Amino acid sequence: MLNFDIYDALDKEPDEEWISRLAERIAKVIATRIGEFKRSKELRLSMIGRCKRYIWYHAKGYEPEPLHPAVRLKFLFGDIIEQLLIGLIELSGHEVTDCQKEVELNGIKGHIDCLIDGQLYDIKSVSSRSFEKFVRGLLHRDDPFGYYAQLAAYAEALGMEPAGWIIMDKQLGHVAVVEAKYEYLPNAKEIVNELKQIVQQDDPPERPYEPVPEGKSGNMKLPTECSYCAYKWHCWADANNGFGPRVFLYSKGPVFLVKVVKEPNVKEITQQCKNGV
Ligand code: SF4
C-alpha cells in the first residue's frame, strides 16, 4: 500500500539527486509564496467546485479579504508538506511523473500535482478534522473547496480516470491514500460551462448558504463555508441591517455574526478582521 510505502521511505537513504530535486521543488514553492501576494482574476480548474457566488466575485475582480500573515504561512507550510510527500513517494520507489503539468478543460487551465505510477492523484495537506472526513469516505457530503470537482476536471482534461487523493494530516503526520468514488465525481465540463455563463452575468448568483444560530441567544452567524470565504464582506454586506458581518472573538475562535439580538460578552474584532491583522 502506498501510504505504508511513504512511511517506509523514512528509513531509506536518499541519494544526492533526490535531495537536490526535493530542495529545488521546496525552494520553488517558497519563492512563489513569499513576496507580494498577487491574486489572479482568472478562473482555474482548482476552483471550479467552490461556491458559484465566490467564483463570480473572483472573476469580477472584487477585492478579497486581505490574508493574515499567519494564514499565508499556513498555506506555505501546506505547499511544503505536499512537496515533501511527493518526494517521499519517489523515494519509496514509485514513479512520479508530470509534476505541475498544465492541463486545460473547455478553455480553463489548471495544473495537476503529478501522476504516480501513471495514475492521477491530488496531494493535499489537511487538518485532523478534514483527514478524518477523507478517510471515513465522507468528503462528498462536505466538500467546501470542491476537491471532487477539481479531481474530475483534471481527469477529464487528461482523458483518464482519477485514482484519488494522497493526504497528510499536517498536525499529526498521518498519511492516507483515499480512493475517489466514481459515483461522486461530477461532470466537470458541465460545471465549467455553467461557470463561464455565470461570470458573464451582471449580478452574482444567489447565496447557496443560510446563516446558522449561534447558541440560544437568537444571534445568527455565518456558516463555516462562508466564515472562511475571502469574499464574505461583499457577499454578506447586507447583514446586520447593512453594516455587514460583525466578528466576535470567542474562546473557540472568531465568530461572524450576521444578526445580533444579544450583544456577546467577548471582544469585537470586526475591523481587525477586515484589515487582515
Ligand atoms: S460568503 Fe459564502 S455564499 Fe458568499 S461567496 Fe463566500 S462561500 Fe459563497
Side-chain angles (χ1 to χ4, degrees):
M1 283 286 289
L2 192 46
N3 54 335
F4 295 121
D5 293 347
I6 294 169
Y7 290 142
D8 288 347
L10 293 170
D11 293 322
K12 298 209 167 166
E13 291 289 337
D15 59 22
E16 286 297 322
E17 195 191 323
W18 180 88
I19 294 169
S20 305
R21 198 166 49 239
L22 178 60
E24 201 176 300
R25 286 178 185 156
I26 290 178
K28 203 168 164 188
V29 297
I30 293 173
T32 313
R33 288 275 188 198
I34 288 186
E36 195 190 345
F37 187 65
K38 296 192 191 85
R39 295 194 207 227
S40 150
K41 286 198 303 184
E42 208 183 332
L43 182 58
R44 297 182 305 277
L45 291 180
S46 58
M47 318 167 43
I48 69 159
R50 298 197 71 149
C51 165
K52 293 181 176 59
R53 196 164 154 106
Y54 171 100
I55 306 262
W56 185 90
Y57 283 117
H58 176 87
K60 295 292 186 188
Y62 277 72
E63 193 60 38
E65 179 181 56
L67 285 181
H68 189 282
V71 177
R72 291 178 62 185
L73 266 179
K74 185 174 72 171
F75 289 160
L76 170 59
F77 183 45
D79 288 346
I80 292 171
I81 287 177
E82 288 164 21
Q83 292 308 318
L84 175 64
L85 270 180
I86 291 174
L88 289 173
I89 292 164
E90 280 178 324
L91 188 60
S92 71
H94 292 276
E95 187 189 38
V96 176
T97 56
D98 300 270
C99 289
Q100 289 303 308
K101 178 178 175 168
E102 185 173 274
V103 293
E104 191 172 325
L105 188 68
N106 283 10
I108 306 298
K109 290 183 179 151
H111 293 87
I112 63 166
D113 283 329
C114 58
L115 299 183
I116 299 168
D117 299 329
Q119 292 193 294
L120 176 65
Y121 284 97
D122 221 9
I123 318 286
K124 302 280 183 207
S125 74
V126 296
S127 64
S128 298
R129 190 178 155 272
S130 187
F131 186 89
E132 186 72 12
K133 183 170 64 178
F134 263 103
V135 295
R136 292 177 63 204
L138 300 176
L139 176 65
H140 62 285
R141 288 200 203 159
D142 176 21
D143 187 10
F145 298 108
Y147 290 156
Y148 259 105
Q150 182 184 3
L151 192 65
Y154 294 154
E156 285 180 40
L158 287 167
M160 66 196 301
E161 295 192 337
W165 301 269
I166 296 173
I167 56 170
M168 180 172 144
D169 178 335
K170 59 190 161 195
Q171 285 150 286
L172 299 175
H174 297 155
V175 173
V177 180
V178 180
E179 190 191 336
K181 298 266 189 299
Y182 292 112
E183 61 267 36
Y184 303 131
L185 285 161
N187 183 322
K189 272 200 194 97
E190 278 179 9
I191 296 177
V192 165
N193 290 341
E194 187 191 351
L195 291 177
K196 280 172 151 181
Q197 287 179 1
I198 285 175
V199 300
Q200 299 300 326
Q201 296 168 8
D202 292 335
D203 298 314
E206 291 292 306
R207 275 195 295 251
Y209 302 114
E210 294 291 335
V212 293
E214 167 57 25
K216 293 183 178 153
S217 59
N219 292 346
M220 301 295 284
K221 66 180 176 183
L222 291 185
T224 309
E225 294 83 354
C226 296
S227 64
Y228 283 109
C229 175
Y231 295 106
K232 57 181 165 287
W233 303 104
H234 301 293
C235 181
W236 291 90
D238 58 342
N240 292 313
N241 298 319
F243 180 84
R246 293 178 65 190
V247 195
F248 291 89
L249 188 58
Y250 287 77
S251 56
K252 62 187 172 185
V255 171
F256 295 79
L257 295 185
V258 291
K259 182 178 169 197
V260 179
V261 174
K262 187 171 173 230
E263 195 82 8
N265 198 16
V266 293
K267 192 178 173 197
E268 180 166 5
I269 53 165
T270 305
Q271 210 49 49
Q272 291 96 315
C273 282
K274 278 187 173 173
N275 295 339
V277 293

